[in-house]
Amino acid sequence: MSGAEEQMQQLRSKATELLLREEWRDSIQLYSELIDLCQSQISNTHQHSDPDHLSKLHKSLCVAFSNRAEARSKLQHFTQALNDCDQALQIEATHFKTLICKGKILLCLNRYFNALDCFKAALFDPQGNGNLDIVNGYLEKCKKLEFQSRTGSFDLSDWVLNGFRGKPLELAEYIGPVKVNRSEISGRGLFATKNIDTGTLVLVTKAIAIERGILGGQDSAENAQLVMWKNFIDKVKEAVTRCQRTQLLIDMLSTGENEAGLEVPDMSIFRPEIEENGCSNDQKLDMDKILSILDVNSLVEEAVSAKVLGKNSDFYGVGLWILVSFINHSCNPNARRLHVGDYVIVHASRDVKAGEEITFMYFDALSPLEKRVEMSLSWGFNCRCSRCKFEEAVCSKQELREIEIGLEKGVDVGGAVYRLEEGMKRWAVRGKGKGYLRASFWAAYAEVYGSDRSMKRWGRRIPAMETVVDSVVEVMGSDERLLKVVVEGLKKSGGVVEFERAMKLGRGFYGKVIKKQALRTLLEIGINDKGY
């Protein structure tokens, strides 16, 4: 055995040992040395025309590339890992281990159709005869995710019915009938390209990075949030460093400045099937820019997210979802987001017309105008949505402000609601205007409808709960607090009409990805003798 062959054998043995011990970085280093040595030997062997020796060298090189790809994929260095897979497959086009590795990487990158091709090709390699069950498992998974990605046919029902136990479902990336365009609200926004019904899926997208934790008391909570924010920044930095496409996507997000001058990207760039050709991360990482981008575009998981994840009320999470970052705030939103694992599901919370901008709430919009103004300023903008403009005009009326002050001082909520309803008659407020003002004072309405005593006194002098809920939903979409009042009313009075109203509201809040039985479980609506 020559000195080079002995050196190759030692490198191969040590690198394989490190791979089995999951010491990924060290194994990558040794496999890189082995690859260099193999390539050098192949170059020299060509001169001596030794076919058998050359074949063995090519086989060793193929396995080395394949194993280095596996180690790199474990570190989520997917671009480099895919390159190694392609190098191995140039040597042996149906190399079973490489095809499985490449397929798994493409699955992680949400490139389901390409992954499907890899697993199909693996079936033709004789080495895979003993692993047909594994390959078929990956094939079924690919087909399911590819179908979800193409059609938007998601179903979380089984997971919901199981009480959210176990790992969150693995979801596909999905982009519905939307596109990015210039927004009258702020900079760029996401717009519907066709009519979208309540509960219909708009998009499903995975976080670039996410950090979660449980917050303690007020003082420790602030420190915990700071630590989490630092960890989150580090995760984003790592994601940008290891993936060219991630750097490209994050770089196109707003820093909060020069919104009018930002490019409107084509939707194709957000689709996971895009190749990384043309992407380059040779440019120096601009951490100041990244910090500005994160400050403007990061999302905090909502209370309902914690509920779905099975966490307690102190649960806190912060993450970055690229396409969701283009969705602007409105105090009369038409979309909702639901967090499942590292994915965000966005669906229409009310009917959306083609050409209408997709919006959701950055803060609690079931609040009076003055409080919403304070919250929007804390976010660094002044909301100018149609609801805010309408209420600014109406709020010049002193009586409306007096109602708000009275509620803050603890006056009878029934009387306040009655006064507001009578005021709207005098001010000739109609249509959506009623929904806007009822949304602003929803807490008072909910308290009245939830109290038998208040309803006994004021019930005949104020609109029925269903009328008020419908008017608020028309301008706000579905909301958990609206749902709660409707469900409580259903439990008291029952009725098919009330049940259907609750189901419709539930679809607006949770989306159509959940079937009726699971939705009924979420809303804690039992099945009575009437069968609903």
Side-chain angles (χ1 to χ4, degrees), residues 130 273 315 492:
E273 299 83 11
F315 170 83
K492 290 178 182 179

Side-chain angles (χ1 to χ4, degrees), residues 348-379:
S349 58
R350 57 184 173 86
D351 291 347
V352 181
K353 294 180 180 179
E356 186 178 348
E357 182 169 0
I358 304 294
T359 57
F360 52 50
M361 299 180 290
Y362 286 9
F363 48 79
D364 182 12
L366 284 181
S367 305
L369 176 65
E370 190 170 309
K371 290 182 180 178
R372 299 203 313 275
V373 169
E374 290 177 8
M375 289 185 282
S376 68
L377 291 176
S378 71
W379 276 78

Side-chain angles (χ1 to χ4, degrees), residues 16 92 118 134 383 399 461 471:
T16 303
E92 188 178 335
C118 287
I134 294 174
C383 185
E399 189 174 358
R461 291 190 278 177
S471 69

Side-chain angles (χ1 to χ4, degrees), residues 270-322:
F270 301 107
R271 301 189 184 279
E273 299 83 11
I274 187 174
E275 295 287 345
E276 294 192 357
N277 297 335
C279 302
S280 173
N281 58 353
D282 294 335
Q283 63 189 65
K284 186 178 178 181
L285 206 60
D286 187 344
M287 280 309 298
D288 287 338
K289 181 179 180 181
I290 289 177
L291 288 173
S292 296
I293 287 171
L294 294 182
D295 190 47
V296 172
N297 297 281
S298 300
L299 283 178
V300 173
E301 290 185 321
E302 300 169 316
V304 68
S305 315
K307 186 181 297 181
V308 170
L309 287 163
K311 307 294 183 181
N312 63 27
S313 59
D314 292 329
F315 170 83
Y316 177 84
V318 60
L320 178 67
W321 293 265
I322 297 294

Side-chain angles (χ1 to χ4, degrees), residues 11-74:
L11 279 172
R12 184 163 49 244
S13 176
K14 183 62 177 175
T16 303
E17 179 187 339
L18 291 169
L19 188 71
L20 293 172
R21 282 162 43 184
E22 299 186 359
E23 296 180 23
W24 313 121
R25 296 184 189 279
D26 290 339
S27 70
I28 289 170
Q29 182 179 341
L30 289 189
Y31 277 122
S32 296
E33 292 179 25
L34 178 59
I35 286 167
D36 289 343
L37 190 56
C38 275
Q39 289 174 328
S40 175
Q41 287 295 301
I42 288 170
S43 178
N44 293 332
T45 303
H46 271 298
Q47 299 172 11
H48 303 293
S49 301
D50 186 343
D52 290 338
H53 184 53
L54 189 63
S55 176
K56 287 179 182 178
L57 285 172
H58 276 117
K59 186 173 182 180
S60 293
L61 183 60
C62 176
V63 172
F65 272 125
S66 183
N67 288 342
R68 189 171 73 174
E70 182 182 345
R72 282 175 162 171
S73 71
K74 296 295 184 182

Side-chain angles (χ1 to χ4, degrees), residues 10-297:
Q10 290 175 352
L11 279 172
R12 184 163 49 244
S13 176
K14 183 62 177 175
T16 303
E17 179 187 339
L18 291 169
L19 188 71
L20 293 172
R21 282 162 43 184
E22 299 186 359
E23 296 180 23
W24 313 121
R25 296 184 189 279
D26 290 339
S27 70
I28 289 170
Q29 182 179 341
L30 289 189
Y31 277 122
S32 296
E33 292 179 25
L34 178 59
I35 286 167
D36 289 343
L37 190 56
C38 275
Q39 289 174 328
S40 175
Q41 287 295 301
I42 288 170
S43 178
N44 293 332
T45 303
H46 271 298
Q47 299 172 11
H48 303 293
S49 301
D50 186 343
D52 290 338
H53 184 53
L54 189 63
S55 176
K56 287 179 182 178
L57 285 172
H58 276 117
K59 186 173 182 180
S60 293
L61 183 60
C62 176
V63 172
F65 272 125
S66 183
N67 288 342
R68 189 171 73 174
E70 182 182 345
R72 282 175 162 171
S73 71
K74 296 295 184 182
L75 295 173
Q76 296 189 339
H77 297 165
F78 295 133
T79 304
Q80 293 173 313
L82 280 177
N83 184 58
D84 279 347
C85 287
D86 290 339
Q87 295 269 28
L89 293 172
Q90 282 182 9
I91 300 168
E92 188 178 335
T94 60
H95 189 252
F96 180 79
K97 185 177 179 181
T98 304
L99 288 167
I100 295 298
C101 181
K102 184 176 181 181
K104 288 161 69 175
I105 293 169
L106 291 168
L107 263 182
C108 290
L109 295 173
N110 303 308
R111 289 163 59 182
Y112 317 111
F113 193 79
N114 300 126
L116 197 60
D117 286 341
C118 287
F119 295 128
K120 284 179 178 177
L123 289 173
F124 294 100
D125 192 303
Q127 298 176 42
N129 287 339
N131 298 283
L132 288 180
D133 289 344
I134 294 174
V135 179
N136 284 324
Y138 280 123
L139 281 170
E140 289 305 310
K141 183 177 179 180
C142 272
K143 289 176 182 177
K144 178 183 176 182
L145 293 174
E146 191 276 331
F147 180 74
Q148 286 182 353
S149 178
R150 180 167 41 85
T151 64
S153 298
F154 292 74
D155 186 1
L156 307 182
S157 301
D158 290 342
W159 188 50
V160 172
L161 289 168
N162 197 35
F164 308 115
R165 285 188 291 274
K167 290 183 179 180
L169 298 178
E170 188 166 8
L171 305 176
E173 294 257 342
Y174 168 75
I175 300 175
V178 292
K179 68 176 182 179
V180 178
N181 214 334
R182 298 286 176 199
S183 169
E184 293 182 2
I185 296 174
S186 175
R188 301 164 298 180
L190 201 64
F191 291 79
T193 57
K194 69 175 187 180
N195 293 342
I196 304 174
D197 296 334
T198 301
T200 300
L201 202 61
V202 173
L203 64 92
V204 178
T205 185
K206 190 175 183 179
I208 295 295
I210 192 165
E211 178 71 6
R212 298 189 179 98
I214 304 296
L215 303 181
Q218 185 172 351
D219 293 336
S220 61
E222 289 184 14
N223 292 331
Q225 280 182 279
L226 287 173
V227 172
M228 289 175 66
W229 181 250
K230 181 182 180 300
N231 293 340
F232 171 59
I233 292 170
D234 289 341
K235 286 184 176 180
V236 172
K237 182 180 178 181
E238 184 182 354
V240 170
T241 303
R242 69 185 180 219
C243 181
Q244 300 167 3
R245 182 168 180 263
T246 299
Q247 179 176 344
L248 177 73
L249 292 173
I250 291 179
D251 198 50
M252 72 174 61
L253 296 179
S254 169
T255 61
E257 299 178 0
N258 188 30
E259 295 276 353
L262 294 173
E263 179 185 353
V264 175
D266 187 87
M267 290 305 294
S268 63
I269 199 169
F270 301 107
R271 301 189 184 279
E273 299 83 11
I274 187 174
E275 295 287 345
E276 294 192 357
N277 297 335
C279 302
S280 173
N281 58 353
D282 294 335
Q283 63 189 65
K284 186 178 178 181
L285 206 60
D286 187 344
M287 280 309 298
D288 287 338
K289 181 179 180 181
I290 289 177
L291 288 173
S292 296
I293 287 171
L294 294 182
D295 190 47
V296 172
N297 297 281

